[in-house]
Amino acid sequence: MTLALHGGPPVRTAPWPSWPPPLDDAQRALVGKVLDSGRWGATQGGGVADDLAAAFARRSAVPYGVAVGNATLGLFAALRGLGVGPGDEVIVPAYTFVASATSVLLAGAVPVIADVDPADLHLSPDAVRAAVTDRTAAVMPVHLAGSPADMDPLNALAARHGLAVVEDAAQAHGAEYRGRPVGGLGHAGVYSFQASKAMTAGEGGLIVCPDEAAYEAIWSVCNLGRRPGGQWYGHPSVGWNLRLTDLQAALLLPWLDRLDDEIARRDAFCAALERELDRLPADGPARPVTVAPRPPGTTRDSRHLLMLRVDASVERDFLLAAMAAEGVPLDAGYPPLGTMDALTRAGARAEPCPAATAAAGNVVWVRQAMLMDDPARAADVAEAFAKVLADSPPRP
Ligand SMILES: *Cc1c(COP(=O)(O)O)cnc(C)c1O
């Protein structure tokens, strides 16, 4: 047993729930059916991958969906299908996973890294307004941690400047903005099924979109430049094989039936944790640990992660190590994209991003798997904070 850095036994010794959750009977049955069918790929169409695309389109309240190998490729295909390419700029938030920017590079365009809102940490409409140039072709709001970006002002800006809007919904399966599901709020939306995400087949992705012409172009990018329903060896445009397999789709399609229950479970844990954190003794005028607020317009947070702001006078890496020693491993979150040399060397342009820089220093995440625990166990997280914050060296 590891000894807690603050003495005594760790607050939490029981394991946290693992991710993914155990397979259910419906998943086993559908995977078995696809295995037995011998049709493991999705080459012919009309299989489980197409069913999954249709189910996600329905849930996103749009007519079209395309299942793909992962969300990095999905974002690339959406951009490319919407006509974004070399010479274009795409505005992405500074506080997000690196793939939001590398998908833009894959499309041959320039990621322009704009700051996030200092409170909710989602792409700031003001920062987008300041970053638009006559080369801007698209904007990529990210529905971070399961809460939607504030889409109305972003869509209004995009309409004014003629920009495509590609929603990065990799973390937001089931989230809603002003009562409407994410994914269908712009010109295309992209989900991820990578191993850490709210639904997973190990890897995978899915693009949804409201417009038929955009769908046909995006489908073509993902299917070697073919036209939907066209000839097998007819390739009227340039495209690649970006398809998801039917085997992966068979893990995912039944999952949709329990997604809402899982969101409710994580939501209950988050609500309990917020109540517990409110009771922590204050360190000066500010509450020491607070839940990052959601952007305006969030009507359903899918609770992929819980982002916490730590305002106590404790150094963040020390805090993370001490919390881990108490049996509560938290995540450090994202470095600002603009600080990644590889991106700037590849041509990305970073606007000033003070809010993302601050977040990199004082925001920590509670992982999705932990949020799946019994809400009564949220007390473990708060208790570990109380123990660690009561006796930590101040920030240098
Ligand atoms: C996971 C993630 C991606 C990339 O998804 P993959 O399926 O792993 O390619 C893109 N954007 C965000 C915000 C993500 O969290």
Side-chain angles (χ1 to χ4, degrees), residues 69-73 75 96-100 142-144 168-171 191-197 203-205 304 334:
N70 61 59
T72 308
L73 293 174
L75 292 166
T96 182
F97 187 57
V98 68
S100 307
V142 177
H143 303 311
L144 189 66
D168 182 339
Q171 305 186 0
Y191 299 94
S192 171
F193 307 121
Q194 180 268 343
S196 71
K197 303 293 156 73
E203 302 288 354
H304 173 55
Y334 300 126

Side-chain angles (χ1 to χ4, degrees), residues 6-7 20 22 26 36 46 57 74 107 131 144 170 177 181 213 236 275 288 329 331 385 393:
H6 289 76
D36 290 339
L144 189 66
Y177 175 76
R275 282 193 302 273
D331 272 334
F385 269 120

Side-chain angles (χ1 to χ4, degrees), residues 62-211:
V62 294
Y64 306 105
V66 184
V68 289
N70 61 59
T72 308
L73 293 174
L75 292 166
F76 155 73
L79 290 167
R80 176 115 187 165
L82 292 168
V84 177
D88 292 332
E89 294 179 353
V90 179
I91 299 173
V92 302
Y95 194 74
T96 182
F97 187 57
V98 68
S100 307
T102 52
S103 60
V104 174
L105 292 171
L106 198 54
V110 172
V112 174
I113 298 164
D115 207 5
V116 293
D117 179 271
D120 63 50
L121 306 174
H122 288 58
L123 181 60
S124 154
D126 288 338
V128 172
R129 198 174 294 115
V132 171
T133 70
D134 54 9
R135 296 181 154 215
T136 311
V139 57
M140 187 187 291
V142 177
H143 303 311
L144 189 66
S147 49
D150 188 7
M151 291 299 289
D152 283 349
L154 292 169
N155 276 335
L157 263 170
R160 190 168 323 131
H161 295 280
L163 314 180
V165 177
V166 175
E167 301 171 63
D168 182 339
Q171 305 186 0
H173 319 65
E176 290 177 11
Y177 175 76
R178 302 196 188 281
R180 296 171 60 200
V182 301
L185 303 170
H187 298 102
V190 180
Y191 299 94
S192 171
F193 307 121
Q194 180 268 343
S196 71
K197 303 293 156 73
M199 294 175 56
T200 178
E203 302 288 354
L206 202 138
I207 308 161
V208 293
C209 83
D211 175 74

